[in-house]
Amino acid sequence: MNLWLVGLLRAAWIAGTLPILIASVPSSRLCWFRDALLGFAKRGKTLQSSSKRFTVPQRFFRHFYWVAVVWTTLLLGSTWMYAYYTVPLVSEPFLYSNMSSYLTGGSHILSWSKSHSTSIKQRFMIWRSVFLLLLMEVQVLRRLVETIYVFNYSPSARMHILGYLTGLFFYTAAPLSLSCNCIPEVYEFLVSEVAEFIVRGKNQMPAIEIHLWEFVNPLMKLGWCQWIGAAIFCWGWIHQQRCHSILVSFTISAISFFFSSLYVENRFSSQGSLRDYMEQVDEYIIPHGDWFESVSSPHYLAEIVIYAGVVVASGGADLTIWLLFAFVVANLVFAAAETHRWYLRKFDNYPSNRLAVIPFLY
């Protein structure tokens, strides 16, 4: 199952990345392919087509993060419990504690036998998966909160259905890619626990004991790669939050300007409802501040930094995570280039020193 799952995930990331790389080749023969892919990737302000065929409201972005939070939480909780009960990354006192607990009937046989049969390298890999899923959980939780409480998507904003399905795929496959090397063992652990619960019943199950320090301590014993990766992740995480706040504040400023103009021209009372005007708002202001001073899509740049941190935290030896990162970079660079072109078409005075997404490079 493990090789099958890893192979499927790698094939999926390659299949998602290759079309973007092909469309990025500067060849006139590929213009039709590039235009088709751009049509799938456009959303919000860059999707100007009046047709609503094969599109969904842009507020459906929330679905991505609901799926991501539920799925990542399930994987994180399952993997963490498996690691805690069966592969402790601590020294002998904790193993003796498990043995004595088992002999007195307070623990499962699986907890004791696995702790001795699993190598230190395998234990480290499993706890590293817990660490990576914890980073993913922090990211998707913040994005869910932002889509609910921060972003106010225009009622007329749309996105292509293929872009929507790609988002659902990404937030299902990404957490799985971070833990795919231990998912079979986690699955067997869960099946074993459920089967035992069914056979023995609730009243016959031993009490679940979780010692908070022993639950968290193995994460403290991970290597320097994990903590450097976490620092890079936090750097991108903080800047993405700032850039999203800037985008929202400039959008609010544009809407305020629009309604101020309506008030001055005394047209509000005679030309329809507030909702009608909200759908007519087509005023945008050039964002400034933080990484916006260098690139047009700093929130995409921050996302790249976030997943670069995940790669570093993984130790850089897992090809599946590298392929995940390649998909993130290809997808965001491709989308950022279109956003940059839109800014250049929209504003004659757009800052000439700004690049699309990567400072001093692109």
Short mmCIF file of all heavy atoms in Angstrom, two decimals, residues 46-74:
data_model
loop_
_atom_site.label_atom_id
_atom_site.label_comp_id
_atom_site.label_asym_id
_atom_site.label_seq_id
_atom_site.Cartn_x
_atom_site.Cartn_y
_atom_site.Cartn_z
N THR A 46 -8.98 38.92 -12.50
CA THR A 46 -8.36 38.53 -13.77
C THR A 46 -9.32 37.74 -14.66
O THR A 46 -9.00 37.47 -15.82
CB THR A 46 -7.10 37.67 -13.52
OG1 THR A 46 -7.47 36.47 -12.81
CG2 THR A 46 -6.08 38.45 -12.72
N LEU A 47 -10.48 37.36 -14.13
CA LEU A 47 -11.48 36.63 -14.94
C LEU A 47 -12.51 37.63 -15.42
O LEU A 47 -13.47 37.96 -14.73
CB LEU A 47 -12.14 35.53 -14.10
CG LEU A 47 -13.15 34.63 -14.81
CD1 LEU A 47 -12.50 33.89 -15.96
CD2 LEU A 47 -13.77 33.65 -13.83
N GLN A 48 -12.34 38.13 -16.62
CA GLN A 48 -13.17 39.21 -17.14
C GLN A 48 -14.31 38.74 -18.02
O GLN A 48 -15.12 39.53 -18.47
CB GLN A 48 -12.29 40.19 -17.94
CG GLN A 48 -11.19 40.84 -17.11
CD GLN A 48 -11.72 41.70 -15.99
OE1 GLN A 48 -12.79 42.30 -16.12
NE2 GLN A 48 -11.00 41.77 -14.89
N SER A 49 -14.36 37.44 -18.29
CA SER A 49 -15.40 36.95 -19.18
C SER A 49 -16.77 37.14 -18.57
O SER A 49 -16.98 36.93 -17.38
CB SER A 49 -15.18 35.46 -19.47
OG SER A 49 -16.25 34.95 -20.24
N SER A 50 -17.71 37.56 -19.39
CA SER A 50 -19.07 37.78 -18.90
C SER A 50 -19.84 36.47 -18.76
O SER A 50 -20.88 36.41 -18.13
CB SER A 50 -19.83 38.71 -19.86
OG SER A 50 -19.85 38.16 -21.18
N SER A 51 -19.35 35.41 -19.38
CA SER A 51 -20.02 34.13 -19.31
C SER A 51 -19.75 33.46 -17.97
O SER A 51 -18.65 33.53 -17.43
CB SER A 51 -19.53 33.22 -20.44
OG SER A 51 -20.05 31.92 -20.28
N LYS A 52 -20.76 32.80 -17.43
CA LYS A 52 -20.63 32.08 -16.16
C LYS A 52 -20.55 30.58 -16.38
O LYS A 52 -20.61 29.81 -15.42
CB LYS A 52 -21.80 32.42 -15.24
CG LYS A 52 -21.80 33.87 -14.77
CD LYS A 52 -22.89 34.12 -13.74
CE LYS A 52 -22.84 35.56 -13.22
NZ LYS A 52 -23.88 35.81 -12.20
N ARG A 53 -20.41 30.16 -17.62
CA ARG A 53 -20.31 28.73 -17.90
C ARG A 53 -19.03 28.16 -17.31
O ARG A 53 -17.97 28.75 -17.41
CB ARG A 53 -20.34 28.48 -19.41
CG ARG A 53 -21.66 28.79 -20.09
CD ARG A 53 -21.59 28.47 -21.56
NE ARG A 53 -21.29 27.04 -21.78
CZ ARG A 53 -20.97 26.53 -22.97
NH1 ARG A 53 -20.88 27.33 -24.04
NH2 ARG A 53 -20.73 25.24 -23.09
N PHE A 54 -19.16 27.02 -16.69
CA PHE A 54 -18.03 26.30 -16.10
C PHE A 54 -17.31 27.12 -15.02
O PHE A 54 -16.09 26.99 -14.85
CB PHE A 54 -17.03 25.86 -17.17
CG PHE A 54 -17.65 25.12 -18.31
CD1 PHE A 54 -17.65 25.65 -19.59
CD2 PHE A 54 -18.26 23.89 -18.10
CE1 PHE A 54 -18.24 24.96 -20.65
CE2 PHE A 54 -18.85 23.21 -19.15
CZ PHE A 54 -18.85 23.73 -20.43
N THR A 55 -18.02 27.99 -14.34
CA THR A 55 -17.42 28.76 -13.25
C THR A 55 -18.26 28.59 -11.99
O THR A 55 -19.42 28.20 -12.04
CB THR A 55 -17.33 30.27 -13.59
OG1 THR A 55 -18.65 30.81 -13.72
CG2 THR A 55 -16.54 30.49 -14.87
N VAL A 56 -17.63 28.88 -10.86
CA VAL A 56 -18.31 28.87 -9.56
C VAL A 56 -17.97 30.17 -8.85
O VAL A 56 -16.98 30.84 -9.19
CB VAL A 56 -17.87 27.67 -8.70
CG1 VAL A 56 -18.29 26.35 -9.35
CG2 VAL A 56 -16.37 27.70 -8.45
N PRO A 57 -18.76 30.59 -7.87
CA PRO A 57 -18.43 31.82 -7.13
C PRO A 57 -17.06 31.72 -6.46
O PRO A 57 -16.68 30.66 -5.95
CB PRO A 57 -19.55 31.90 -6.09
CG PRO A 57 -20.68 31.13 -6.68
CD PRO A 57 -20.04 30.02 -7.45
N GLN A 58 -16.34 32.83 -6.46
CA GLN A 58 -15.00 32.81 -5.86
C GLN A 58 -15.05 32.57 -4.35
O GLN A 58 -14.08 32.11 -3.76
CB GLN A 58 -14.27 34.12 -6.14
CG GLN A 58 -12.77 34.02 -5.86
CD GLN A 58 -12.03 35.30 -6.16
OE1 GLN A 58 -12.64 36.32 -6.49
NE2 GLN A 58 -10.72 35.28 -6.07
N ARG A 59 -16.19 32.84 -3.72
CA ARG A 59 -16.30 32.59 -2.28
C ARG A 59 -16.21 31.09 -1.97
O ARG A 59 -16.04 30.70 -0.81
CB ARG A 59 -17.61 33.15 -1.74
CG ARG A 59 -18.87 32.48 -2.27
CD ARG A 59 -20.11 33.05 -1.62
NE ARG A 59 -21.33 32.41 -2.10
CZ ARG A 59 -22.00 32.74 -3.18
NH1 ARG A 59 -21.56 33.76 -3.92
NH2 ARG A 59 -23.09 32.09 -3.55
N PHE A 60 -16.29 30.24 -3.00
CA PHE A 60 -16.12 28.80 -2.79
C PHE A 60 -14.70 28.46 -2.37
O PHE A 60 -14.41 27.30 -2.06
CB PHE A 60 -16.48 28.04 -4.07
CG PHE A 60 -17.96 27.84 -4.26
CD1 PHE A 60 -18.89 28.60 -3.54
CD2 PHE A 60 -18.44 26.90 -5.16
CE1 PHE A 60 -20.25 28.43 -3.73
CE2 PHE A 60 -19.80 26.72 -5.35
CZ PHE A 60 -20.71 27.48 -4.63
N PHE A 61 -13.82 29.48 -2.37
CA PHE A 61 -12.48 29.28 -1.81
C PHE A 61 -12.57 28.69 -0.42
O PHE A 61 -11.68 27.94 0.01
CB PHE A 61 -11.75 30.64 -1.75
CG PHE A 61 -10.65 30.77 -2.75
CD1 PHE A 61 -10.93 31.10 -4.06
CD2 PHE A 61 -9.33 30.58 -2.39
CE1 PHE A 61 -9.92 31.23 -5.00
CE2 PHE A 61 -8.32 30.70 -3.32
CZ PHE A 61 -8.60 31.03 -4.62
N ARG A 62 -13.61 29.03 0.31
CA ARG A 62 -13.76 28.53 1.67
C ARG A 62 -13.82 27.01 1.71
O ARG A 62 -13.39 26.39 2.69
CB ARG A 62 -15.03 29.11 2.30
CG ARG A 62 -14.98 30.62 2.48
CD ARG A 62 -16.31 31.16 2.95
NE ARG A 62 -16.29 32.63 2.98
CZ ARG A 62 -17.36 33.38 3.22
NH1 ARG A 62 -18.54 32.80 3.42
NH2 ARG A 62 -17.27 34.69 3.24
N HIS A 63 -14.34 26.42 0.65
CA HIS A 63 -14.43 24.97 0.62
C HIS A 63 -13.05 24.33 0.71
O HIS A 63 -12.88 23.28 1.33
CB HIS A 63 -15.13 24.52 -0.66
CG HIS A 63 -16.54 25.02 -0.79
ND1 HIS A 63 -17.32 24.78 -1.92
CD2 HIS A 63 -17.32 25.74 0.05
CE1 HIS A 63 -18.50 25.34 -1.76
NE2 HIS A 63 -18.53 25.93 -0.59
N PHE A 64 -12.06 24.97 0.04
CA PHE A 64 -10.70 24.44 0.10
C PHE A 64 -10.24 24.27 1.54
O PHE A 64 -9.69 23.23 1.92
CB PHE A 64 -9.70 25.36 -0.61
CG PHE A 64 -9.99 25.63 -2.06
CD1 PHE A 64 -9.39 26.70 -2.70
CD2 PHE A 64 -10.85 24.83 -2.78
CE1 PHE A 64 -9.62 26.97 -4.03
CE2 PHE A 64 -11.10 25.08 -4.13
CZ PHE A 64 -10.49 26.15 -4.75
N TYR A 65 -10.46 25.31 2.32
CA TYR A 65 -9.89 25.33 3.66
C TYR A 65 -10.73 24.56 4.67
O TYR A 65 -10.18 24.06 5.65
CB TYR A 65 -9.66 26.78 4.07
CG TYR A 65 -8.75 27.47 3.08
CD1 TYR A 65 -9.22 28.49 2.24
CD2 TYR A 65 -7.43 27.06 2.91
CE1 TYR A 65 -8.40 29.07 1.28
CE2 TYR A 65 -6.61 27.64 1.97
CZ TYR A 65 -7.10 28.64 1.16
OH TYR A 65 -6.28 29.21 0.22
N TRP A 66 -12.03 24.44 4.42
CA TRP A 66 -12.81 23.53 5.24
C TRP A 66 -12.33 22.09 5.04
O TRP A 66 -12.12 21.35 6.02
CB TRP A 66 -14.30 23.63 4.91
CG TRP A 66 -15.02 24.77 5.58
CD1 TRP A 66 -15.60 25.84 4.99
CD2 TRP A 66 -15.23 24.94 7.00
NE1 TRP A 66 -16.16 26.69 5.92
CE2 TRP A 66 -15.94 26.15 7.16
CE3 TRP A 66 -14.88 24.19 8.11
CZ2 TRP A 66 -16.31 26.62 8.43
CZ3 TRP A 66 -15.25 24.66 9.37
CH2 TRP A 66 -15.95 25.86 9.51
N VAL A 67 -12.16 21.70 3.78
CA VAL A 67 -11.64 20.36 3.48
C VAL A 67 -10.25 20.20 4.08
O VAL A 67 -9.94 19.17 4.71
CB VAL A 67 -11.61 20.13 1.96
CG1 VAL A 67 -10.82 18.87 1.61
CG2 VAL A 67 -13.02 20.04 1.40
N ALA A 68 -9.40 21.21 3.91
CA ALA A 68 -8.02 21.13 4.40
C ALA A 68 -7.97 20.99 5.91
O ALA A 68 -7.20 20.18 6.44
CB ALA A 68 -7.25 22.38 3.96
N VAL A 69 -8.77 21.77 6.63
CA VAL A 69 -8.75 21.72 8.09
C VAL A 69 -9.25 20.37 8.59
O VAL A 69 -8.63 19.75 9.47
CB VAL A 69 -9.59 22.87 8.68
CG1 VAL A 69 -9.83 22.65 10.18
CG2 VAL A 69 -8.89 24.21 8.46
N VAL A 70 -10.36 19.89 8.05
CA VAL A 70 -10.91 18.61 8.50
C VAL A 70 -9.94 17.47 8.19
O VAL A 70 -9.64 16.63 9.06
CB VAL A 70 -12.28 18.35 7.84
CG1 VAL A 70 -12.75 16.93 8.13
CG2 VAL A 70 -13.31 19.36 8.33
N TRP A 71 -9.42 17.42 6.96
CA TRP A 71 -8.54 16.34 6.53
C TRP A 71 -7.20 16.38 7.25
O TRP A 71 -6.70 15.35 7.72
CB TRP A 71 -8.36 16.42 5.02
CG TRP A 71 -7.49 15.39 4.39
CD1 TRP A 71 -6.45 15.62 3.55
CD2 TRP A 71 -7.59 13.96 4.50
NE1 TRP A 71 -5.88 14.43 3.13
CE2 TRP A 71 -6.57 13.39 3.70
CE3 TRP A 71 -8.44 13.12 5.22
CZ2 TRP A 71 -6.37 12.02 3.60
CZ3 TRP A 71 -8.25 11.74 5.11
CH2 TRP A 71 -7.23 11.21 4.31
N THR A 72 -6.60 17.58 7.36
CA THR A 72 -5.31 17.70 8.04
C THR A 72 -5.44 17.38 9.52
O THR A 72 -4.56 16.73 10.11
CB THR A 72 -4.74 19.12 7.85
OG1 THR A 72 -4.66 19.44 6.46
CG2 THR A 72 -3.34 19.23 8.45
N THR A 73 -6.52 17.83 10.14
CA THR A 73 -6.74 17.53 11.56
C THR A 73 -6.88 16.03 11.79
O THR A 73 -6.33 15.48 12.75
CB THR A 73 -7.99 18.25 12.07
OG1 THR A 73 -7.84 19.67 11.89
CG2 THR A 73 -8.22 17.96 13.56
N LEU A 74 -7.59 15.35 10.89
CA LEU A 74 -7.75 13.90 11.00
C LEU A 74 -6.40 13.19 10.87
O LEU A 74 -6.06 12.31 11.68
CB LEU A 74 -8.71 13.41 9.91
CG LEU A 74 -8.93 11.89 9.84
CD1 LEU A 74 -9.55 11.38 11.12
CD2 LEU A 74 -9.81 11.54 8.63
#
